[in-house]
Amino acid sequence: MPAPEIRRTVCNRDCPDTCAIVAHVEDGRVTRIGGDPSHPVTQGFLCWRTNNFLPLQYHPERLTRPLLRGKPVSWDEALDFAARELMRIRSESGPAAIFHYRSGGSLGALKHLSDYFFEKFGPTTTKRGDICSGAGDEAQMIDFGEEDSHDIFDLLNSKNIILWGKNAVVSSPHLVPVLNDAKASKLLIDPVWHKTARLCDAFLQPRPGGDFSLAMAAARLLFERGWTEAGFEKYCDNLTEFRALAFQHTVAGWCEDADVSPDAAEDVARRLHQGPTAILVGWGMARRVNGGAIVRALDALGAISGNLGVAGGGVSYYFKRRKTFDHSFIKGIPAAPRTVLEPLFGPEVLESRDPPIRAVWITAGNPIAMLPESATVDRALRSREFVCVVDSWPTDTTRAATLVLPTTTLLEDDDLLGAYGHHYVGVSQPVVPPPPGVRSDLEILQGVAERVGLAAVLDGSARDWKERILRKDAGFTVAQLEKDGPQRSALSPKVLFADRQFATRTGRVNLITSAPARSRVTSEYPLYLMALSSEKSQNSQWSKGQPAGPAVVTVHPDAARGIPDGGLGKLESAIGCLPIQVRHDSKQRRDVALLAKGGHFRENRAANALSKARATDLGGGGALYDEPVRLLP
């Protein structure tokens, strides 16, 4: 029996690690996948979700034919219908009546070509904000004028590492070996206990959303103890206002609001003083109404303590994954006649006027499950004249679509990929061809473009577009990526802001000057709902389908309202209710209710069915972790 052929690609799922994959192919079928040992970050292993991807790749429900109103049709019929509907609605109501929604369920430089097509076709309505990272993105752009991180291996130079709201074990598993290799003392700050606590020397568990107050307590201590960097005022603006903000309350008062002891703030301040100290900022913390202000407070801590621009330091929220890509030919939001704020998708589509949104084209997303007010999003889509969804599997959103177009999976993808958890760039290459009847996103767009008179706009192969989009100063070529595997971007410094120059208007750090409001639970709804990534689900693309039975809600035993461990009940918010099974965990706070992220709306497991659509203070993010809920027997 011949040995399997070994083929390599890069994972395109929405995850910071962008792993290099080794696939074993026999008779045109992938029989095994693993991590590429030659990749410095992947280091030969994959997360559980990708390790268990093959059952999903070959799942009998895989979409392999276009569906028009639920019935299989040919590609010609599907694309003719799509082109006819888009042109009809544009002719009758103008391009603003068409909403192109592209999310991040799968990533890649070529995914942006759908933006390019709809810009040239219209420009049409597009989204603004970002459901996952918007608040922190905007916060760091305000503070630094740039959003990037030190090299991932610079953590080996840290004396202290503070993981602030970051669950590396689940959401950044390839960060874990680097943390283990780092000799630094490690502190986890998170309202939720999770396995990352086992990697750390200490764990602080503040009130949900209390991180701002904890940061201000630490800032006050830095000022009081003289633990600020000498001369930091030369590269920081708003110093007087920021200092006054820190002194608005005593250390004890700030800590009371954060629900931690003053010793906790002392520990944070001491670690920042005894640097170099890296602050690794989790995205979940930014998914609160005060999320942008929290990230700005952490930026300020890094600045005044002297941990910006030094090896082993930094405030890391994001790695600039598109730095090596040139998408300048796409104008984006400035060209759009109208935008829809992503976390308010349902309400804003329903309320759209002059003209109303009549058509929605959805790429790389499952908004009914992903976005708050699932029922509102479902109603908004089902009430449009034309909804087209490009996906590989049935979802809540494909069930609401007029037209479903089947596309490729991560093992069939052909694209150029950056990472938002490190600075390596790679190419995804099909390790097997897609099933007959499945087309890539680019091929789908080209088919529509040809029918609406825009064939020249998207002309070219995937390889042609990779060559066009990869910047000439990236430090490598597409051919090198194909031959040698992922490469580190030459445009990414090992130490960010080493020259203490910032891309703000003044060239200095823009320190925060005012405290935000934060949400609060009530006696009627005493728990914060937090739908978290798990080792088995990063989003609504589960590896093996969701487990049977009701969703599992984890609470502290004292918060279980008498429901025994394993008992059944209901989880209720002001807008919805889910049947649930209760799991007790005495390590959790008494004011949180934890669900697995990504549950399906059709199966009554979607946490977003309970969450009201609301935006964060900055950046148009989704305030997903501020929904108060209660348990009922």
Side-chain angles (χ1 to χ4, degrees):
M1 186 174 179
E5 185 177 354
I6 305 299
R7 299 176 185 171
R8 286 175 164 80
T9 189
V10 175
C11 183
N12 72 354
R13 284 180 133 184
D14 186 9
C15 169
D17 295 357
T18 314
C19 291
I21 294 174
V22 176
H24 297 246
V25 180
E26 299 180 53
D27 296 326
R29 187 180 178 93
V30 182
T31 57
R32 183 161 65 91
I33 56 177
D36 190 338
S38 68
H39 191 294
V41 178
T42 304
Q43 293 188 26
F45 77 94
L46 300 174
C47 69
W48 188 97
R49 299 176 291 268
T50 308
N51 265 329
N52 290 274
F53 180 74
L54 289 183
L56 189 58
Q57 169 77 12
Y58 295 113
H59 198 284
E61 290 188 2
R62 171 82 189 270
L63 297 171
T64 58
R65 291 189 65 183
L67 301 175
L68 179 56
R69 298 189 179 92
K71 306 295 184 183
V73 295
S74 69
W75 272 102
D76 279 340
E77 186 176 353
L79 295 176
D80 288 347
F81 179 83
R84 191 165 57 248
E85 287 296 280
L86 291 173
M87 288 193 293
R88 177 181 67 83
I89 290 171
R90 183 182 65 177
S91 173
E92 293 172 357
S93 300
I98 299 166
F99 174 26
H100 169 234
Y101 174 80
R102 178 181 58 81
S103 191
S106 54
L107 302 172
L110 272 61
K111 291 288 187 290
H112 293 254
L113 294 179
S114 65
D115 300 346
Y116 188 43
F117 167 75
F118 280 98
E119 184 176 286
K120 292 298 184 181
F121 183 75
T124 64
T125 294
T126 190
K127 74 158 187 160
R128 72 184 190 280
D130 188 287
I131 194 70
C132 292
S133 62
D137 296 333
E138 181 70 12
Q140 293 215 316
M141 292 303 294
I142 290 171
D143 293 342
F144 304 142
E146 174 64 298
E147 185 187 21
D148 204 348
S149 296
H150 291 221
D151 183 83
I152 186 173
F153 298 106
D154 182 59
L155 292 170
L156 302 180
N157 297 315
S158 301
K159 185 173 181 181
N160 286 284
I161 298 172
I162 301 176
L163 294 105
W164 208 312
K166 191 174 187 72
N167 186 350
V169 168
V170 164
S171 296
S172 301
H174 291 84
L175 176 62
V176 172
V178 183
L179 293 173
N180 285 333
D181 288 344
K183 300 296 190 291
S185 177
K186 303 169 191 76
L187 167 66
L188 173 65
I189 302 174
D190 204 307
V192 177
W193 186 94
H194 45 74
K195 290 181 181 177
T196 301
R198 296 173 181 166
L199 307 177
C200 299
D201 309 292
F203 172 48
L204 299 178
Q205 203 166 10
R207 182 194 319 278
D211 308 86
F212 181 87
S213 292
L214 174 56
M216 286 300 102
R220 176 163 180 155
L221 285 169
L222 291 173
F223 284 121
E224 287 181 346
R225 303 284 170 82
W227 286 352
T228 55
E229 183 188 33
F232 80 94
E233 64 278 356
K234 295 176 183 177
Y235 61 88
C236 291
D237 285 328
N238 310 323
L239 171 58
T240 300
E241 295 88 344
F242 176 69
R243 192 180 190 281
L245 173 60
F247 278 78
Q248 276 186 7
H249 301 289
T250 63
V251 170
W254 284 119
C255 289
E256 181 181 5
D257 187 68
D259 196 25
V260 296
S261 72
D263 289 343
E266 178 87 25
D267 186 30
V268 173
R270 178 184 55 77
R271 289 171 186 268
L272 290 166
H273 175 56
Q274 296 176 351
T277 298
I279 303 177
L280 308 185
V281 186
W283 285 14
M285 189 169 48
R287 295 171 190 159
R288 298 195 175 279
V289 291
N290 63 340
I294 292 173
V295 176
R296 295 201 66 197
L298 304 190
D299 291 346
L301 288 180
I304 68 171
S305 63
N307 285 296
L308 294 184
V310 298
V315 183
S316 175
Y317 182 76
Y318 182 79
F319 288 74
K320 197 169 184 179
R321 64 184 173 89
R322 293 191 287 270
K323 181 176 280 188
T324 55
F325 303 157
D326 179 5
H327 285 122
S328 59
F329 56 92
I330 306 172
K331 295 185 178 67
I333 286 177
R338 172 171 57 189
T339 60
V340 170
L341 188 65
E342 186 171 18
L344 303 185
F345 181 116
E348 290 198 359
V349 168
L350 285 171
E351 293 163 8
S352 63
R353 300 288 185 273
D354 302 322
I357 290 172
R358 298 171 59 189
V360 184
W361 187 286
I362 296 169
T363 303
N366 179 13
I368 291 175
M370 288 167 46
L371 304 184
E373 292 191 32
S374 294
T376 307
V377 178
D378 186 68
R379 186 166 71 255
L381 291 177
R382 291 181 186 275
S383 56
R384 300 309 97 184
E385 293 173 45
F386 174 55
V387 174
C388 180
V389 178
V390 180
D391 210 321
S392 303
W393 298 278
T395 67
D396 290 320
T397 304
T398 64
R399 285 168 172 78
T402 319
L403 181 66
V404 179
L405 302 178
T407 192
T408 49
T409 70
L410 67 91
L411 295 176
E412 303 151 4
D413 189 47
D414 197 354
D415 211 327
L416 186 63
L417 288 144
Y420 60 92
H422 54 78
H423 286 129
Y424 284 81
V425 177
V427 288
S428 58
Q429 304 174 90
V431 299
V432 288
V438 171
R439 298 189 182 184
S440 70
D441 289 46
L442 176 58
E443 290 168 334
I444 291 169
L445 289 168
Q446 288 173 330
V448 179
E450 182 181 3
R451 288 163 168 81
V452 298
L454 293 173
V457 168
L458 293 180
D459 187 41
S461 67
R463 173 61 186 270
D464 294 336
W465 280 103
K466 292 178 192 180
E467 295 277 7
R468 177 175 177 180
I469 290 172
L470 184 65
R471 285 178 50 166
K472 303 308 179 192
D473 54 355
F476 43 78
T477 64
V478 173
Q480 284 176 283
L481 295 176
E482 292 171 340
K483 178 177 179 289
D484 301 326
Q487 302 292 309
R488 191 183 185 281
S489 170
L491 301 173
S492 301
K494 294 290 182 73
V495 175
L496 189 64
F497 308 132
D499 57 1
R500 296 287 175 83
Q501 295 296 307
F502 303 89
T504 57
R505 181 179 55 81
T506 64
R508 296 187 292 273
V509 177
N510 185 23
L511 297 176
I512 189 171
T513 59
S514 61
R518 69 168 173 84
S519 64
R520 298 176 187 275
V521 290
T522 65
S523 57
E524 185 179 10
Y525 295 100
L527 305 173
Y528 285 105
L529 172 62
M530 297 179 69
L532 309 176
S533 296
S534 73
E535 288 157 319
K536 296 187 178 182
S537 70
Q538 186 82 340
N539 50 37
S540 60
Q541 295 178 359
W542 289 60
S543 290
K544 289 186 176 179
Q546 299 188 47
V552 175
V553 173
T554 300
V555 294
H556 190 282
D558 293 350
R561 299 286 298 273
I563 303 172
D565 189 26
L568 300 178
K570 294 187 293 185
L571 189 67
E572 187 176 69
S573 72
I575 67 166
C577 184
L578 294 180
I580 50 91
Q581 183 179 33
V582 172
R583 187 174 77 86
H584 292 181
D585 184 353
S586 60
K587 296 187 291 295
Q588 303 304 339
R589 288 181 55 95
R590 292 166 174 81
D591 56 0
V592 298
L594 311 179
L595 271 173
K597 179 182 175 186
H600 296 318
F601 180 61
R602 68 183 182 274
E603 295 177 357
N604 224 10
R605 299 170 62 94
N608 282 321
L610 305 182
S611 298
K612 187 167 180 57
R614 57 169 72 85
T616 52
D617 53 346
L618 294 174
L624 300 173
Y625 292 168
D626 279 312
E627 189 62 48
V629 294
R630 62 186 176 194
L631 274 177
L632 299 172

